[in-house]
Amino acid sequence: MNTLNWSELSFGYLPTDYNIRCYFRNGQWGNLEVSTSENITMHMAATCLHYGQEAFEGLKAFRGPDGKIRVFRMDENAARLKRSAEEIMMEPFPVELFTEAVKKVVKLNERFVPPYESGASLYIRPLLIGVGAKVGVQPSDEYLFVLFVSPVGPYFKTGFKPSKVIVMRDFDRAAPHGTGTIKVGGNYAASLKSGQLAHDKGYSMVVYLDAKEKKYIDECGAANFFMIKGNTYVTPESTSILPSITNKSLMQLAKDMGMTVERRPVPLDEIPEFDEIGACGTAAVISPIGWIDDPEKGVNYVISKDGEPGPVSSKLYHELRAIQYGEMADPHGWTTVID
Ligand code: PLP
Ligand code: COI
């Protein structure tokens, strides 16, 4: 080390020096433990293995032009993990321990935070799992929090370029009153088959519609949707969308730019009225959507006429990245410098 070719990194797992673990046993959380092992050992009857007691998060650390490392909105990820845990009857991981663990794991793996010029970052993956042995369907009384990191490049090889997505009515990512609003593994298992089918057909992501009426736009693969109509930023509202921290940040930046922000159900039929459409999430920040195909209805929507990202999406993308990398002031105090 460091022999990594930073600018060639993809969005994948690479081993680093250390990870962190913390156990909940006998009714309390223990100390943060530093580990060099990439493995975890658990009981074969652990509830995470059988009954899906598993929640995770995803956030990033960025090295700035000043050499400083900044973590983006870790308090929001801590709060979302807490909510995910509560919804599936897991012991929530305390927010203060979460932020302490994030600072620690980034510091310990400092040499894996990609250089500023590479445009890469350090992905941070927190995991909370039920590890107590049960056979009856019930919550565990023992939990393990794990935190590992991996240097990552862009989520899409094409970078910040419009991609083509497909509407699939035969698959639901989450039910209207199921687990869509929390970040639990089962939602991702439910999206694997449709995701693969879409990729096989040459699409980057699946457009999931609301599970009941198949009328409204829900999520775009593992990302939120946003749309631009004139001076308005629109994002779908439903009971099965994961509240994206990137989307929350983009809504704020849009307001700062003087735009109106609307959160409401967005019918698929409204697509032709939007000037720009994008997917947003930690991994890609914004992935512009150029084309939406709906083969079942025989409709092909063209959003990007020239194959380029729209001006508002570009502005939002560059502004959010500039805050994350510490290239510009952070007016909302979203970043935490690791020292
Ligand atoms: N929606 C889903 C289903 C996701 O998995 C993610 C990724 O975390 C997002 C949206 C985007 O959320 P965030 O911006 O917090 O990463
Ligand atoms: C995102 O960060 O946008 C994601 O969807 C993360 C994914 C790897 C689960």
Side-chain angles (χ1 to χ4, degrees), residues 56-57 79-85 87-88 173-184 187-188 218-219 224 237-244 263:
F56 69 101
E57 274 303 327
R80 193 168 63 187
L81 183 63
K82 183 166 179 283
R83 216 165 37 74
S84 296
E87 289 299 310
I88 58 166
R173 190 191 74 89
H177 300 287
T179 53
T181 58
I182 55 172
K183 204 163 166 71
V184 296
N187 296 342
Y188 298 82
D218 214 66
E219 290 223 63
N224 277 184
E237 186 166 55
S238 89
T239 55
S240 47
I241 293 176
L242 184 78
S244 153
R263 291 182 76 178

Side-chain angles (χ1 to χ4, degrees), residues 155-194:
Y155 195 65
F156 293 108
K157 283 193 194 72
T158 47
F160 187 64
K161 282 276 173 200
S163 69
K164 199 160 106 175
V165 299
I166 180 171
V167 177
M168 284 189 172
R169 287 180 185 73
D170 292 344
F171 294 90
D172 296 318
R173 190 191 74 89
H177 300 287
T179 53
T181 58
I182 55 172
K183 204 163 166 71
V184 296
N187 296 342
Y188 298 82
S191 73
L192 290 175
K193 193 170 175 185
S194 46

Side-chain angles (χ1 to χ4, degrees), residues 11 56 58 123 125 155 183 188 222-223 280-284:
F11 191 89
F56 69 101
Y123 186 69
R125 170 54 62 85
Y155 195 65
K183 204 163 166 71
Y188 298 82
C280 62
T282 296

Side-chain angles (χ1 to χ4, degrees), residues 49-240:
L49 299 176
H50 299 253
Y51 303 129
Q53 268 203 311
E54 186 275 353
F56 69 101
E57 274 303 327
L59 62 161
K60 281 178 172 175
F62 305 85
R63 196 185 292 277
D66 55 1
K68 289 186 180 155
I69 300 168
R70 291 169 179 82
V71 178
F72 188 68
R73 304 200 82 169
M74 62 175 168
D75 48 336
E76 291 282 341
N77 294 91
R80 193 168 63 187
L81 183 63
K82 183 166 179 283
R83 216 165 37 74
S84 296
E86 285 163 356
E87 289 299 310
I88 58 166
M89 300 295 289
M90 297 202 293
E91 183 64 31
F93 191 60
V95 168
E96 317 75 61
L97 265 183
F98 182 102
T99 52
E100 187 188 332
V102 168
K103 286 183 201 162
K104 195 165 180 158
V105 82
V106 173
K107 189 75 196 159
L108 285 167
N109 293 292
E110 204 172 341
R111 70 192 185 96
F112 293 96
V113 183
Y116 167 66
E117 304 75 34
S118 66
S121 56
L122 188 75
Y123 186 69
I124 306 166
R125 170 54 62 85
L127 190 66
L128 181 63
I129 56 178
V131 290
K134 298 277 179 195
V135 173
V137 181
Q138 51 186 283
S140 171
D141 32 38
E142 292 187 1
Y143 293 90
L144 169 60
F145 171 81
V146 182
L147 186 54
F148 68 82
V149 297
S150 181
V152 294
Y155 195 65
F156 293 108
K157 283 193 194 72
T158 47
F160 187 64
K161 282 276 173 200
S163 69
K164 199 160 106 175
V165 299
I166 180 171
V167 177
M168 284 189 172
R169 287 180 185 73
D170 292 344
F171 294 90
D172 296 318
R173 190 191 74 89
H177 300 287
T179 53
T181 58
I182 55 172
K183 204 163 166 71
V184 296
N187 296 342
Y188 298 82
S191 73
L192 290 175
K193 193 170 175 185
S194 46
Q196 186 63 50
L197 283 170
H199 285 151
D200 291 348
K201 291 181 175 162
Y203 296 94
S204 67
M205 286 173 286
V206 177
V207 177
Y208 295 103
L209 300 181
D210 78 278
K212 208 166 160 192
E213 292 182 76
K214 300 281 169 183
K215 180 176 173 189
Y216 299 98
I217 295 174
D218 214 66
E219 290 223 63
C220 190
N224 277 184
F225 261 109
F226 72 90
M227 295 82 177
I228 306 295
K229 191 191 275 189
N231 197 38
T232 305
Y233 179 107
V234 182
T235 193
E237 186 166 55
S238 89
T239 55
S240 47

